[in-house]
Amino acid sequence: MVRNKKNWILPKGVEPTEFDLKVLSFQEKGHLVPPRSLIKTQEQIEGIRRAGEINTGILDMLEEKICEGITTEDIDRWVAEYTEKHGAICAPLNYEGFPKHCCTSLNEVVCHGIPNEEEELWDGDIINVDVTTIKDGYFADASRMYMIGNVEPRTKRLVECAKECLEIGIEAAKPWHFVGEIGKAIEKHANKNGFTVVRDLCGHGTGTCFHEDPEVDHYNTRKKGMLLVPGMVFTIEPMINMGTWEVFCDEEDGWTVVTEDELPSAQWEHTFVMTEDGLEILTH
Ligand code: MF3
Ligand code: CO
Ligand code: CO
């Protein structure tokens, strides 16, 4: 596919605003700029924020309930019940054939783990629960790590470091700078701690559909990527590995992504809106 770099289009017969001229100045220099459709209105941002509030409520509720002895099927059921009670929809269910309400990714599972009755949580496990809520047509996407009982120190450090990577990514995302800064900062921090960054999966635009532009890589691609313009809504969701960054997808279920060396992986995710002052979290 040929990328259309000249994609900030002025409506016919309307004077360009200062905002238009600013985006156009980047476009004229050959930078990748977002199409106008990626800039959310205030009304859309408020809708995404409301979806975010429910999404956060779910992840908070799970803090109280996740413990040794439960199954990932239990987690799925709690997510489904809470979402329904709040008049919302679980975006993962039936998304490209995904069979459950959320993703539960245990230990060496990087992401997209499928909840099931056979999978029990044991002392020392780490698990990511990734929840995406649709409320009145607006999407919010976030995930957290949960630790069960006594987790090995190095594994605990992996979980903490993955959280720090998200925080560092947030700081690196500046309006009128480029998306590439995010992955550059994240990879530096992960590597400094002896960990690696998954390359095959990325953060993404969201808000009015599940996944859209921009692609938010979490490693240093050595490319600038898309210009970050106020009003863009997207996720950052670094997956940090204990060993190799390489992963594979389970051929049987077509979803579960696992580390190549079967060492643990950790991930944290938020949905943000870019403002003139930097990122604002919509899934707090
Ligand atoms: N929530 C995941 C993300 O962060 C996507 C899950 S897709 C699903 O982008 F189908 F597995 F739910
Ligand atoms: Co996401
Ligand atoms: Co997610």
Side-chain angles (χ1 to χ4, degrees):
M1 189 187 79
V2 181
R3 260 222 171 107
N4 178 16
K5 286 188 178 170
K6 305 273 177 201
N7 51 6
W8 186 266
I9 298 163
L10 285 175
K12 277 221 173 68
V14 178
E15 273 298 298
T17 63
E18 228 173 90
F19 191 89
D20 285 319
L21 293 172
K22 198 160 177 182
V23 179
L24 287 170
S25 73
F26 281 93
Q27 180 163 283
E28 277 153 20
K29 285 184 210 139
H31 294 302
L32 182 63
V33 302
R36 199 180 281 280
S37 61
L38 293 188
I39 311 302
K40 268 59 178 179
T41 64
Q42 211 48 50
E43 189 186 333
Q44 289 173 322
I45 293 164
E46 290 318 312
I48 301 161
R49 196 189 303 282
R50 283 193 295 275
E53 281 163 12
I54 299 170
N55 210 68
T56 302
I58 297 169
L59 294 171
D60 287 345
M61 171 272 293
L62 294 177
E63 303 268 359
E64 307 289 314
K65 299 189 93 133
I66 290 181
C67 63
E68 192 178 351
I70 65 149
T71 68
T72 49
E73 182 74 24
D74 291 326
I75 296 174
D76 192 72
R77 197 183 59 253
W78 296 329
V79 170
E81 285 169 359
Y82 187 105
T83 304
E84 204 195 329
K85 224 197 258 159
H86 288 76
I89 297 166
C90 299
L93 185 65
N94 299 322
Y95 173 77
E96 293 184 5
F98 190 80
K100 293 283 176 173
H101 302 84
C102 63
C103 300
T104 50
S105 303
L106 189 60
N107 299 325
E108 71 279 5
V109 177
V110 173
C111 64
H112 303 169
I114 303 174
N116 69 87
E117 253 161 39
E118 275 86 64
E119 193 171 52
E120 255 186 64
L121 302 189
W122 296 107
D123 185 61
D125 281 344
I126 60 168
I127 187 168
N128 173 278
V129 183
D130 192 337
V131 176
T132 310
T133 300
I134 311 173
K135 177 70 175 171
D136 301 329
Y138 296 109
F139 290 69
D141 184 10
S143 80
R144 289 183 200 169
M145 296 301 296
Y146 301 84
M147 294 195 260
I148 317 303
N150 296 306
V151 174
E152 272 184 35
R154 186 70 185 149
T155 308
K156 220 179 206 168
R157 183 66 200 121
L158 175 72
V159 170
E160 284 166 8
C161 182
K163 193 174 190 186
E164 291 161 8
C165 283
L166 174 55
E167 286 156 4
I168 280 163
I170 296 170
E171 289 308 309
K174 300 263 184 281
W176 308 108
H177 287 65
F178 293 90
V179 88
E181 293 301 318
I182 299 171
K184 199 158 101 186
I186 289 175
E187 186 170 41
K188 191 171 162 200
H189 186 69
N191 290 353
K192 202 171 76 190
N193 286 276
F195 301 127
T196 64
V197 180
V198 173
R199 297 175 166 230
D200 301 29
L201 298 119
C202 59
H204 51 90
T206 190
T208 49
C209 62
F210 203 158
H211 294 110
E212 63 181 11
D213 274 346
E215 280 184 13
V216 182
D217 284 305
H218 304 107
Y219 67 102
N220 187 358
T221 59
R222 289 162 215 285
K223 294 196 186 87
K224 286 200 156 179
M226 193 177 275
L227 181 70
L228 292 171
V229 174
M232 289 169 78
V233 172
F234 58 89
T235 73
I236 304 177
E237 47 182 298
M239 285 145 272
I240 307 300
N241 291 358
M242 180 90 89
T244 179
W245 58 269
E246 286 169 293
V247 301
F248 68 93
C249 183
D250 183 317
E251 274 176 28
E252 231 163 90
D253 68 27
W255 281 103
T256 311
V257 177
V258 187
T259 57
E260 192 76 56
D261 55 12
E262 295 184 25
L263 288 174
S265 181
Q267 176 182 31
W268 296 78
E269 174 178 27
H270 273 309
T271 297
F272 310 92
V273 59
M274 181 54 79
T275 75
E276 292 287 356
D277 302 316
L279 287 182
E280 184 190 339
I281 304 177
L282 297 176
T283 47
H284 242 337

